[in-house]
mmCIF file of all heavy atoms in Angstrom:
data_model
loop_
_atom_site.group_PDB
_atom_site.id
_atom_site.type_symbol
_atom_site.label_atom_id
_atom_site.label_comp_id
_atom_site.label_asym_id
_atom_site.label_seq_id
_atom_site.Cartn_x
_atom_site.Cartn_y
_atom_site.Cartn_z
ATOM 1 N N VAL A 1 -9.744 -4.541 10.731
ATOM 2 C CA VAL A 1 -8.872 -3.771 9.856
ATOM 3 C C VAL A 1 -8.110 -4.735 8.954
ATOM 4 O O VAL A 1 -7.419 -5.634 9.448
ATOM 5 C CB VAL A 1 -7.869 -2.918 10.657
ATOM 6 C CG1 VAL A 1 -6.948 -2.150 9.710
ATOM 7 C CG2 VAL A 1 -8.593 -1.958 11.591
ATOM 8 N N VAL A 2 -8.246 -4.561 7.650
ATOM 9 C CA VAL A 2 -7.486 -5.339 6.670
ATOM 10 C C VAL A 2 -6.369 -4.452 6.147
ATOM 11 O O VAL A 2 -6.606 -3.318 5.729
ATOM 12 C CB VAL A 2 -8.376 -5.818 5.506
ATOM 13 C CG1 VAL A 2 -7.535 -6.556 4.456
ATOM 14 C CG2 VAL A 2 -9.488 -6.717 6.027
ATOM 15 N N ILE A 3 -5.145 -4.961 6.186
ATOM 16 C CA ILE A 3 -3.983 -4.182 5.757
ATOM 17 C C ILE A 3 -3.317 -4.879 4.571
ATOM 18 O O ILE A 3 -2.954 -6.055 4.658
ATOM 19 C CB ILE A 3 -2.964 -4.026 6.902
ATOM 20 C CG1 ILE A 3 -3.612 -3.294 8.091
ATOM 21 C CG2 ILE A 3 -1.732 -3.269 6.427
ATOM 22 C CD1 ILE A 3 -2.693 -3.151 9.288
ATOM 23 N N LEU A 4 -3.150 -4.146 3.477
ATOM 24 C CA LEU A 4 -2.463 -4.654 2.294
ATOM 25 C C LEU A 4 -1.038 -4.128 2.298
ATOM 26 O O LEU A 4 -0.813 -2.914 2.281
ATOM 27 C CB LEU A 4 -3.164 -4.201 1.011
ATOM 28 C CG LEU A 4 -4.671 -4.470 0.893
ATOM 29 C CD1 LEU A 4 -5.176 -4.003 -0.464
ATOM 30 C CD2 LEU A 4 -4.969 -5.947 1.093
ATOM 31 N N CYS A 5 -0.083 -5.027 2.324
ATOM 32 C CA CYS A 5 1.331 -4.639 2.334
ATOM 33 C C CYS A 5 1.845 -4.536 0.904
ATOM 34 O O CYS A 5 1.964 -5.543 0.205
ATOM 35 C CB CYS A 5 2.158 -5.668 3.104
ATOM 36 S SG CYS A 5 1.735 -5.799 4.848
ATOM 37 N N GLY A 6 2.154 -3.324 0.489
ATOM 38 C CA GLY A 6 2.715 -3.136 -0.836
ATOM 39 C C GLY A 6 4.133 -3.678 -0.929
ATOM 40 O O GLY A 6 4.820 -3.856 0.077
ATOM 41 N N ARG A 7 4.578 -3.935 -2.132
ATOM 42 C CA ARG A 7 5.953 -4.405 -2.402
ATOM 43 C C ARG A 7 6.377 -3.897 -3.765
ATOM 44 O O ARG A 7 5.546 -3.463 -4.573
ATOM 45 C CB ARG A 7 6.033 -5.933 -2.383
ATOM 46 C CG ARG A 7 6.284 -6.516 -1.006
ATOM 47 C CD ARG A 7 7.760 -6.509 -0.667
ATOM 48 N NE ARG A 7 7.984 -6.570 0.782
ATOM 49 C CZ ARG A 7 9.178 -6.571 1.344
ATOM 50 N NH1 ARG A 7 10.257 -6.498 0.587
ATOM 51 N NH2 ARG A 7 9.312 -6.612 2.647
ATOM 52 N N TYR A 8 7.674 -3.990 -4.030
ATOM 53 C CA TYR A 8 8.229 -3.588 -5.315
ATOM 54 C C TYR A 8 7.879 -2.122 -5.601
ATOM 55 O O TYR A 8 8.060 -1.264 -4.760
ATOM 56 C CB TYR A 8 7.761 -4.530 -6.423
ATOM 57 C CG TYR A 8 7.880 -5.988 -6.061
ATOM 58 C CD1 TYR A 8 6.776 -6.841 -6.060
ATOM 59 C CD2 TYR A 8 9.114 -6.513 -5.654
ATOM 60 C CE1 TYR A 8 6.896 -8.179 -5.710
ATOM 61 C CE2 TYR A 8 9.244 -7.852 -5.298
ATOM 62 C CZ TYR A 8 8.124 -8.679 -5.320
ATOM 63 O OH TYR A 8 8.244 -9.981 -4.954
ATOM 64 N N GLU A 9 7.327 -1.831 -6.803
ATOM 65 C CA GLU A 9 6.941 -0.466 -7.138
ATOM 66 C C GLU A 9 5.553 -0.110 -6.624
ATOM 67 O O GLU A 9 5.085 1.017 -6.804
ATOM 68 C CB GLU A 9 6.992 -0.257 -8.652
ATOM 69 C CG GLU A 9 8.392 -0.313 -9.238
ATOM 70 C CD GLU A 9 9.298 0.742 -8.627
ATOM 71 O OE1 GLU A 9 8.919 1.928 -8.625
ATOM 72 O OE2 GLU A 9 10.382 0.367 -8.128
ATOM 73 N N GLY A 10 4.878 -1.085 -6.008
ATOM 74 C CA GLY A 10 3.540 -0.845 -5.488
ATOM 75 C C GLY A 10 2.562 -1.873 -6.016
ATOM 76 O O GLY A 10 2.953 -2.931 -6.507
ATOM 77 N N ILE A 11 1.258 -1.567 -5.889
ATOM 78 C CA ILE A 11 0.237 -2.481 -6.379
ATOM 79 C C ILE A 11 -0.506 -1.835 -7.545
ATOM 80 O O ILE A 11 -0.469 -0.619 -7.734
ATOM 81 C CB ILE A 11 -0.774 -2.853 -5.273
ATOM 82 C CG1 ILE A 11 -1.703 -1.659 -4.974
ATOM 83 C CG2 ILE A 11 -0.069 -3.316 -4.014
ATOM 84 C CD1 ILE A 11 -2.898 -2.038 -4.145
ATOM 85 N N ASP A 12 -1.182 -2.655 -8.308
ATOM 86 C CA ASP A 12 -2.012 -2.159 -9.396
ATOM 87 C C ASP A 12 -3.049 -1.196 -8.810
ATOM 88 O O ASP A 12 -3.785 -1.534 -7.885
ATOM 89 C CB ASP A 12 -2.703 -3.344 -10.083
ATOM 90 C CG ASP A 12 -3.411 -2.961 -11.366
ATOM 91 O OD1 ASP A 12 -4.339 -2.129 -11.281
ATOM 92 O OD2 ASP A 12 -3.070 -3.489 -12.440
ATOM 93 N N GLU A 13 -3.096 0.026 -9.340
ATOM 94 C CA GLU A 13 -3.946 1.074 -8.772
ATOM 95 C C GLU A 13 -5.423 0.700 -8.779
ATOM 96 O O GLU A 13 -6.209 1.192 -7.961
ATOM 97 C CB GLU A 13 -3.739 2.384 -9.527
ATOM 98 C CG GLU A 13 -4.489 3.578 -8.973
ATOM 99 C CD GLU A 13 -4.045 3.965 -7.563
ATOM 100 O OE1 GLU A 13 -2.923 3.565 -7.151
ATOM 101 O OE2 GLU A 13 -4.819 4.662 -6.874
ATOM 102 N N ARG A 14 -5.823 -0.197 -9.650
ATOM 103 C CA ARG A 14 -7.230 -0.580 -9.700
ATOM 104 C C ARG A 14 -7.665 -1.283 -8.419
ATOM 105 O O ARG A 14 -8.819 -1.172 -7.988
ATOM 106 C CB ARG A 14 -7.484 -1.467 -10.926
ATOM 107 C CG ARG A 14 -7.385 -0.702 -12.247
ATOM 108 C CD ARG A 14 -7.346 -1.623 -13.435
ATOM 109 N NE ARG A 14 -6.110 -2.407 -13.471
ATOM 110 C CZ ARG A 14 -5.768 -3.220 -14.472
ATOM 111 N NH1 ARG A 14 -6.583 -3.348 -15.522
ATOM 112 N NH2 ARG A 14 -4.635 -3.889 -14.444
ATOM 113 N N VAL A 15 -6.732 -2.007 -7.790
ATOM 114 C CA VAL A 15 -7.034 -2.652 -6.516
ATOM 115 C C VAL A 15 -7.289 -1.594 -5.448
ATOM 116 O O VAL A 15 -8.211 -1.708 -4.631
ATOM 117 C CB VAL A 15 -5.882 -3.580 -6.085
ATOM 118 C CG1 VAL A 15 -6.132 -4.133 -4.691
ATOM 119 C CG2 VAL A 15 -5.719 -4.708 -7.081
ATOM 120 N N ASN A 16 -6.469 -0.565 -5.454
ATOM 121 C CA ASN A 16 -6.660 0.529 -4.511
ATOM 122 C C ASN A 16 -8.039 1.157 -4.688
ATOM 123 O O ASN A 16 -8.774 1.385 -3.722
ATOM 124 C CB ASN A 16 -5.562 1.577 -4.727
ATOM 125 C CG ASN A 16 -5.580 2.684 -3.684
ATOM 126 O OD1 ASN A 16 -6.207 2.581 -2.639
ATOM 127 N ND2 ASN A 16 -4.866 3.760 -3.974
ATOM 128 N N GLU A 17 -8.407 1.430 -5.922
ATOM 129 C CA GLU A 17 -9.688 2.077 -6.203
ATOM 130 C C GLU A 17 -10.874 1.185 -5.860
ATOM 131 O O GLU A 17 -11.895 1.655 -5.347
ATOM 132 C CB GLU A 17 -9.749 2.475 -7.673
ATOM 133 C CG GLU A 17 -8.716 3.527 -8.073
ATOM 134 C CD GLU A 17 -8.658 3.747 -9.571
ATOM 135 O OE1 GLU A 17 -9.357 2.993 -10.302
ATOM 136 O OE2 GLU A 17 -7.918 4.644 -10.017
ATOM 137 N N MET A 18 -10.752 -0.114 -6.121
ATOM 138 C CA MET A 18 -11.869 -1.026 -5.931
ATOM 139 C C MET A 18 -12.051 -1.486 -4.497
ATOM 140 O O MET A 18 -13.183 -1.683 -4.033
ATOM 141 C CB MET A 18 -11.687 -2.251 -6.833
ATOM 142 C CG MET A 18 -11.732 -1.963 -8.318
ATOM 143 S SD MET A 18 -11.237 -3.400 -9.310
ATOM 144 C CE MET A 18 -12.542 -4.564 -8.898
ATOM 145 N N LEU A 19 -10.937 -1.647 -3.762
ATOM 146 C CA LEU A 19 -11.012 -2.332 -2.476
ATOM 147 C C LEU A 19 -10.681 -1.475 -1.261
ATOM 148 O O LEU A 19 -11.163 -1.748 -0.161
ATOM 149 C CB LEU A 19 -10.067 -3.544 -2.484
ATOM 150 C CG LEU A 19 -10.337 -4.636 -3.507
ATOM 151 C CD1 LEU A 19 -9.243 -5.697 -3.418
ATOM 152 C CD2 LEU A 19 -11.708 -5.261 -3.276
ATOM 153 N N CYS A 20 -9.841 -0.463 -1.429
ATOM 154 C CA CYS A 20 -9.261 0.202 -0.255
ATOM 155 C C CYS A 20 -10.045 1.450 0.145
ATOM 156 O O CYS A 20 -10.538 2.196 -0.693
ATOM 157 C CB CYS A 20 -7.805 0.577 -0.528
ATOM 158 S SG CYS A 20 -6.775 -0.856 -0.908
ATOM 159 N N ASP A 21 -10.134 1.663 1.441
ATOM 160 C CA ASP A 21 -10.800 2.840 1.986
ATOM 161 C C ASP A 21 -9.832 4.000 2.164
ATOM 162 O O ASP A 21 -10.234 5.163 2.124
ATOM 163 C CB ASP A 21 -11.433 2.505 3.340
ATOM 164 C CG ASP A 21 -12.448 1.391 3.224
ATOM 165 O OD1 ASP A 21 -13.405 1.544 2.445
ATOM 166 O OD2 ASP A 21 -12.284 0.348 3.892
ATOM 167 N N ARG A 22 -8.566 3.674 2.404
ATOM 168 C CA ARG A 22 -7.564 4.720 2.572
ATOM 169 C C ARG A 22 -6.184 4.165 2.271
ATOM 170 O O ARG A 22 -5.956 2.956 2.328
ATOM 171 C CB ARG A 22 -7.603 5.304 3.978
ATOM 172 C CG ARG A 22 -7.293 4.308 5.083
ATOM 173 C CD ARG A 22 -7.218 5.006 6.438
ATOM 174 N NE ARG A 22 -8.504 5.503 6.868
ATOM 175 C CZ ARG A 22 -8.685 6.259 7.944
ATOM 176 N NH1 ARG A 22 -7.637 6.637 8.662
ATOM 177 N NH2 ARG A 22 -9.876 6.653 8.309
ATOM 178 N N GLU A 23 -5.290 5.076 1.952
ATOM 179 C CA GLU A 23 -3.898 4.757 1.638
ATOM 180 C C GLU A 23 -3.040 5.467 2.675
ATOM 181 O O GLU A 23 -3.174 6.677 2.884
ATOM 182 C CB GLU A 23 -3.579 5.263 0.234
ATOM 183 C CG GLU A 23 -2.301 4.749 -0.377
ATOM 184 C CD GLU A 23 -2.173 5.172 -1.834
ATOM 185 O OE1 GLU A 23 -3.109 5.807 -2.360
ATOM 186 O OE2 GLU A 23 -1.124 4.874 -2.436
ATOM 187 N N ILE A 24 -2.177 4.724 3.362
ATOM 188 C CA ILE A 24 -1.441 5.276 4.500
ATOM 189 C C ILE A 24 0.055 5.076 4.319
ATOM 190 O O ILE A 24 0.516 4.028 3.851
ATOM 191 C CB ILE A 24 -1.894 4.604 5.817
ATOM 192 C CG1 ILE A 24 -3.339 5.006 6.138
ATOM 193 C CG2 ILE A 24 -0.987 4.972 6.978
ATOM 194 C CD1 ILE A 24 -3.887 4.334 7.385
ATOM 195 N N SER A 25 0.813 6.089 4.735
ATOM 196 C CA SER A 25 2.276 6.021 4.802
ATOM 197 C C SER A 25 2.690 6.309 6.243
ATOM 198 O O SER A 25 2.094 7.152 6.911
ATOM 199 C CB SER A 25 2.893 7.068 3.869
ATOM 200 O OG SER A 25 4.265 7.245 4.141
ATOM 201 N N ILE A 26 3.712 5.624 6.738
ATOM 202 C CA ILE A 26 4.161 5.895 8.103
ATOM 203 C C ILE A 26 5.286 6.930 8.149
ATOM 204 O O ILE A 26 5.797 7.235 9.226
ATOM 205 C CB ILE A 26 4.606 4.608 8.835
ATOM 206 C CG1 ILE A 26 5.821 3.977 8.162
ATOM 207 C CG2 ILE A 26 3.455 3.625 8.947
ATOM 208 C CD1 ILE A 26 6.502 2.914 9.019
ATOM 209 N N GLY A 27 5.656 7.496 7.013
ATOM 210 C CA GLY A 27 6.700 8.517 7.042
ATOM 211 C C GLY A 27 7.187 8.876 5.661
ATOM 212 O O GLY A 27 6.931 8.161 4.683
ATOM 213 N N ASP A 28 7.908 9.973 5.578
ATOM 214 C CA ASP A 28 8.421 10.453 4.293
ATOM 215 C C ASP A 28 9.732 9.773 3.949
ATOM 216 O O ASP A 28 10.804 10.395 3.899
ATOM 217 C CB ASP A 28 8.592 11.969 4.333
ATOM 218 C CG ASP A 28 7.270 12.703 4.444
ATOM 219 O OD1 ASP A 28 6.231 12.088 4.119
ATOM 220 O OD2 ASP A 28 7.270 13.872 4.855
ATOM 221 N N TYR A 29 9.643 8.487 3.727
ATOM 222 C CA TYR A 29 10.782 7.680 3.300
ATOM 223 C C TYR A 29 10.217 6.430 2.650
ATOM 224 O O TYR A 29 9.016 6.149 2.751
ATOM 225 C CB TYR A 29 11.688 7.304 4.488
ATOM 226 C CG TYR A 29 10.929 6.845 5.701
ATOM 227 C CD1 TYR A 29 10.519 5.518 5.835
ATOM 228 C CD2 TYR A 29 10.616 7.731 6.722
ATOM 229 C CE1 TYR A 29 9.822 5.091 6.943
ATOM 230 C CE2 TYR A 29 9.917 7.316 7.839
ATOM 231 C CZ TYR A 29 9.518 5.999 7.950
ATOM 232 O OH TYR A 29 8.815 5.573 9.045
ATOM 233 N N VAL A 30 11.062 5.677 1.964
ATOM 234 C CA VAL A 30 10.598 4.496 1.230
ATOM 235 C C VAL A 30 11.151 3.234 1.881
ATOM 236 O O VAL A 30 12.363 3.131 2.118
ATOM 237 C CB VAL A 30 11.035 4.567 -0.251
ATOM 238 C CG1 VAL A 30 10.584 3.312 -0.999
ATOM 239 C CG2 VAL A 30 10.475 5.820 -0.915
ATOM 240 N N LEU A 31 10.254 2.306 2.185
ATOM 241 C CA LEU A 31 10.639 1.001 2.719
ATOM 242 C C LEU A 31 10.628 -0.032 1.605
ATOM 243 O O LEU A 31 10.052 0.186 0.539
ATOM 244 C CB LEU A 31 9.664 0.578 3.826
ATOM 245 C CG LEU A 31 9.597 1.482 5.059
ATOM 246 C CD1 LEU A 31 8.430 1.062 5.946
ATOM 247 C CD2 LEU A 31 10.906 1.417 5.835
ATOM 248 N N SER A 32 11.233 -1.181 1.872
ATOM 249 C CA SER A 32 11.232 -2.260 0.887
ATOM 250 C C SER A 32 9.844 -2.854 0.705
ATOM 251 O O SER A 32 9.538 -3.443 -0.326
ATOM 252 C CB SER A 32 12.214 -3.359 1.305
ATOM 253 O OG SER A 32 13.533 -2.848 1.382
ATOM 254 N N GLY A 33 9.017 -2.708 1.719
ATOM 255 C CA GLY A 33 7.659 -3.235 1.645
ATOM 256 C C GLY A 33 6.838 -2.733 2.812
ATOM 257 O O GLY A 33 7.337 -2.060 3.716
ATOM 258 N N GLY A 34 5.550 -3.087 2.814
ATOM 259 C CA GLY A 34 4.643 -2.582 3.826
ATOM 260 C C GLY A 34 4.633 -3.343 5.130
ATOM 261 O O GLY A 34 3.906 -2.954 6.058
ATOM 262 N N GLU A 35 5.429 -4.408 5.233
ATOM 263 C CA GLU A 35 5.367 -5.237 6.439
ATOM 264 C C GLU A 35 5.780 -4.470 7.697
ATOM 265 O O GLU A 35 5.122 -4.555 8.742
ATOM 266 C CB GLU A 35 6.238 -6.480 6.259
ATOM 267 C CG GLU A 35 5.645 -7.527 5.331
ATOM 268 C CD GLU A 35 5.718 -7.154 3.856
ATOM 269 O OE1 GLU A 35 6.535 -6.264 3.501
ATOM 270 O OE2 GLU A 35 4.960 -7.721 3.048
ATOM 271 N N LEU A 36 6.887 -3.744 7.619
ATOM 272 C CA LEU A 36 7.308 -2.949 8.775
ATOM 273 C C LEU A 36 6.244 -1.922 9.138
ATOM 274 O O LEU A 36 5.942 -1.705 10.318
ATOM 275 C CB LEU A 36 8.638 -2.254 8.483
ATOM 276 C CG LEU A 36 9.906 -3.111 8.611
ATOM 277 C CD1 LEU A 36 11.086 -2.364 8.002
ATOM 278 C CD2 LEU A 36 10.188 -3.435 10.066
#
């Protein structure tokens, strides 16, 4: 499993389209980044 940790406003959507199989959120709130 490869996990990309987003930061700031997020990542360039083209990376999501080209590389990622799924986009996951751990809850209905906003964190400073994907590390947690």
Side-chain angles (χ1 to χ4, degrees):
V1 179
V2 177
I3 300 178
L4 308 182
C5 296
R7 272 277 158 180
Y8 313 122
E9 293 301 307
I11 73 167
D12 189 299
E13 184 64 20
R14 290 168 293 186
V15 174
N16 187 15
E17 296 171 354
M18 295 170 64
L19 299 176
C20 300
D21 301 302
R22 62 174 68 187
E23 194 173 357
I24 292 177
S25 166
I26 64 166
D28 293 340
Y29 44 85
V30 178
L31 298 171
S32 299
E35 286 74 19
L36 281 168

